[in-house]
Amino acid sequence: MDNHLTVNMDEFLPLRDVVFNTLRKAILTGELKPGERLMEIHLANQLGVSRTPIREAIRKLELEGLVIMIPRRGAEVAQITEKSLRDVLEVRRALDALCVELACERISADEIGQLKKACDAFEYATKTKDATTIAEADVALHDIIVQATRNRRLIQLINNLSEQMYRYRFEYIKDESGHEHLVNEHRMIYESILHRDKQKAAEASKTHIDNQEKSIISQLRIEQEQNQKKNEIPSAEKPHKRV
């Protein structure tokens, strides 16, 4: 593990929560990679804390599905699987379509202006080539639509799901070839809401999610192939069986 994690102390949060937030962010942003072992002593030394808050954080991360416990190996960052991706995106696809339909009915003129600026900000963010900057601009844009629904329960559901989405969002944002498509899809959603066209808004929103799914699955498969090649032993290096 060659990451250089740092813990940012928050005077308003207990140490265990600060450690949990630090490790969680590292997993969501890919700083701690899928399959990477989480060794308590190493993490405690790195963050300058005792093993107790590390142990508590790992337990909470396991409950969230971000960490899995492997017999005789300990804690590892959970792999991103096609099944887990599809499970999350199936729900997100339906909720996002509902969000844009409600936004068409309830969004204010001020929020329309904010959404336009958010589209511009996202396009600018893609030019930075920085995944964190792009992801934050993406979240900010979608948050305006979600808040415009005026439905507190829906906002709560989306916020809970967004935490799981963040990890996948980083996967598709890493694919720079798709940035132009993302910009255009955001523009289509904005235009549909601007004209209060619920059907077009829902279709644009679903297309947006469907394209994300294709992009992420494609990247997952490429990474799996690369990992398999790394693990394969060239025939010349394979040990000869004794006759």
Side-chain angles (χ1 to χ4, degrees):
M1 190 187 295
D2 55 1
N3 307 82
H4 298 286
L5 301 178
T6 55
V7 59
N8 295 317
M9 292 301 176
D10 186 324
E11 60 182 311
F12 301 108
L13 284 177
L15 179 61
R16 65 176 181 273
D17 291 339
V18 174
V19 171
F20 168 72
N21 290 338
T22 301
L23 293 181
R24 191 168 184 278
K25 184 182 179 186
I27 292 172
L28 292 174
T29 59
E31 192 175 352
L32 287 173
K33 303 188 182 310
E36 190 166 334
R37 291 180 68 187
L38 300 178
M39 294 174 282
E40 288 180 14
I41 296 175
H42 182 87
L43 289 171
N45 291 338
Q46 220 178 356
L47 298 178
V49 298
S50 71
R51 290 174 66 180
T52 301
I54 298 290
R55 194 174 300 121
E56 291 174 349
I58 288 174
R59 195 175 299 124
K60 283 179 72 177
L61 290 166
E62 185 186 7
L63 291 173
E64 285 202 359
L66 293 175
V67 164
I68 55 171
M69 300 303 293
I70 307 290
R72 295 183 297 280
R73 276 182 61 85
E76 281 187 7
V77 178
Q79 298 284 351
I80 297 176
T81 65
E82 288 186 23
K83 177 67 168 69
S84 65
L85 168 68
R86 286 197 169 101
D87 285 351
V88 172
L89 291 187
E90 274 179 0
V91 180
R92 185 66 195 244
R93 188 177 189 270
L95 292 182
D96 275 13
L98 176 58
C99 282
V100 293
E101 287 175 350
L102 293 176
C104 283
E105 296 174 6
R106 302 169 183 175
I107 197 165
S108 67
D110 182 53
E111 286 168 326
I112 287 282
Q114 290 176 35
L115 190 56
K116 172 70 167 63
K117 288 178 182 176
C119 286
D120 294 339
F122 179 81
E123 184 172 6
Y124 176 78
T126 61
K127 292 176 170 52
T128 69
K129 310 294 185 186
D130 179 71
T132 302
T133 302
I134 299 168
E136 287 173 354
D138 189 48
V139 170
L141 188 153
H142 287 281
D143 277 352
I144 294 167
I145 297 171
V146 174
Q147 293 299 322
T149 67
R150 311 281 185 263
N151 184 317
R152 288 176 62 188
R153 185 52 57 90
L154 179 57
I155 292 168
Q156 187 180 40
L157 286 170
I158 288 283
N159 286 342
N160 290 341
L161 203 59
S162 289
E163 300 294 339
Q164 298 171 51
M165 274 290 294
Y166 204 77
R167 202 177 182 206
Y168 304 122
R169 182 178 271 110
F170 255 79
E171 285 298 312
Y172 80 82
I173 276 170
K174 285 192 296 188
D175 179 14
E176 293 182 10
S177 66
H179 288 173
E180 188 177 344
H181 291 297
L182 289 173
V183 170
N184 292 335
E185 287 165 12
H186 284 155
R187 296 284 180 198
M188 286 176 67
I189 293 170
Y190 162 72
E191 291 288 340
S192 302
I193 294 174
L194 175 66
H195 296 107
R196 314 278 174 172
D197 190 328
K198 292 167 71 172
Q199 186 177 343
K200 277 192 177 178
E203 287 172 0
S205 177
K206 289 174 181 176
T207 298
H208 187 51
I209 294 293
D210 290 343
N211 288 341
Q212 286 178 38
E213 183 174 313
K214 289 173 191 170
S215 171
I216 298 168
I217 286 176
S218 174
Q219 287 189 72
L220 287 178
R221 289 177 179 171
I222 290 169
E223 287 173 11
Q224 285 169 1
E225 286 174 10
Q226 289 173 342
N227 289 334
Q228 284 174 356
K229 286 177 182 175
K230 283 180 188 174
N231 295 328
E232 285 175 1
I233 304 173
S235 56
E237 296 177 18
K238 286 182 181 176
H240 296 288
K241 288 183 180 179
R242 291 185 179 179
V243 180

